Amino acid sequence: MIRLCHLYPELLNLYGEYANLLALKRALEQCGQAVEITPVAVGETVSLADAALVYAGAGTESRIAIAAEKLQPMRKELAAAAADGVPMLFTSSSAELAARTIALPDGKTIECLGLADCDAVRSTGRELGDVLYASKLSEKLLAGFINKSGWLKNVADPLFTAEFGPGGIVDAKGETIAAEGIRTGSVTATYAIGPILARNPWLKRLYAADILRHKTGSADVSAIADDASDKGYEVTVRELLKRK
């Protein structure tokens, strides 16, 4: 059984981010796997020993603060799973949960999970818009959307370069740079929404391969069929590139 763990869906599921798990579940089932999406409720502590993926999606800034606090009892479990190579994906504002801390505009600090070697900082403004990101993950661009009031900082090697639209990283001087996201071992965090696995079939296949490699030793995803999302992705990228 392939188990996809969704952290706090009652808090972290804005913008239909649950569709990331649905897209991944269908892809893995096409590869002949039995797949279960396991919600982890607020206040619940579960074993991640047999988890194939740990996922957290979008939430409001106040809900991210609640999630950061309530997840503290699972820090060791999450760290152990990451060390074991369990794929983890934090999208939208949940990207901040993977960081060590979130610095708030009022000077207060929120303790996070420390799964990635970076921090987050919030501002009183917001940044939003369509994005196209390049990365070493694929020759294909990531198509998504940004709607956030936070940035990641102290990121030594950003995952994405912004080809179009805003990034999500500030440098040592606090100035925004055309970069976004982190990938530390098996842990990936990005402010991009979409939902990105449903909107970017190449990324869905990459995660399916990572999961299969970790659970079965084989990363064969050739059975994943093309569908409307593949055509939709090509149209989206083409139209956004016209706006560069």
Side-chain angles (χ1 to χ4, degrees), residues 25-61:
K25 180 176 185 291
R26 182 183 180 191
L28 289 165
E29 287 173 342
Q30 290 177 344
C31 294
Q33 301 296 317
V35 185
E36 176 184 85
I37 298 174
T38 302
V40 180
V42 175
E44 183 180 8
T45 301
V46 300
S47 172
L48 300 175
D50 65 340
L53 175 80
V54 175
Y55 175 72
T60 62
E61 284 76 11

Side-chain angles (χ1 to χ4, degrees), residues 143-160:
F145 192 83
I146 290 292
N147 184 1
K148 64 185 181 64
S149 63
W151 286 260
L152 300 179
K153 67 174 184 177
N154 302 323
V155 179
D157 186 20
L159 175 59
F160 297 115

Side-chain angles (χ1 to χ4, degrees), residues 60-195:
T60 62
E61 284 76 11
S62 61
R63 289 187 172 188
I64 291 298
I66 295 170
E69 177 187 354
K70 298 299 184 181
L71 282 169
Q72 290 305 310
M74 288 188 65
R75 280 189 68 146
K76 289 184 179 179
E77 185 79 17
L78 286 161
D84 192 43
V86 174
M88 297 188 180
L89 178 61
F90 297 81
T91 61
S92 189
S93 50
S94 283
E96 297 168 0
L97 292 176
R100 290 180 293 252
T101 61
I102 305 171
L104 303 179
D106 62 5
K108 295 180 181 179
T109 300
I110 297 174
E111 190 76 16
C112 294
L113 299 175
L115 295 170
D117 189 21
C118 69
D119 297 283
V121 57
R122 294 257 184 87
S123 76
T124 55
R126 297 196 72 80
E127 194 169 38
L128 71 161
D130 292 305
V131 297
L132 285 176
Y133 291 155
S135 75
K136 296 177 182 177
L137 298 176
S138 171
E139 294 181 355
K140 292 183 177 291
L141 298 173
L142 181 135
F145 192 83
I146 290 292
N147 184 1
K148 64 185 181 64
S149 63
W151 286 260
L152 300 179
K153 67 174 184 177
N154 302 323
V155 179
D157 186 20
L159 175 59
F160 297 115
T161 300
E163 296 287 316
F164 174 82
I169 289 178
V170 294
D171 62 17
K173 297 179 181 179
E175 298 177 354
T176 59
I177 60 175
E180 204 278 319
I182 51 174
R183 188 171 172 91
T184 303
S186 64
V187 179
T188 301
T190 173
Y191 280 113
I193 55 179

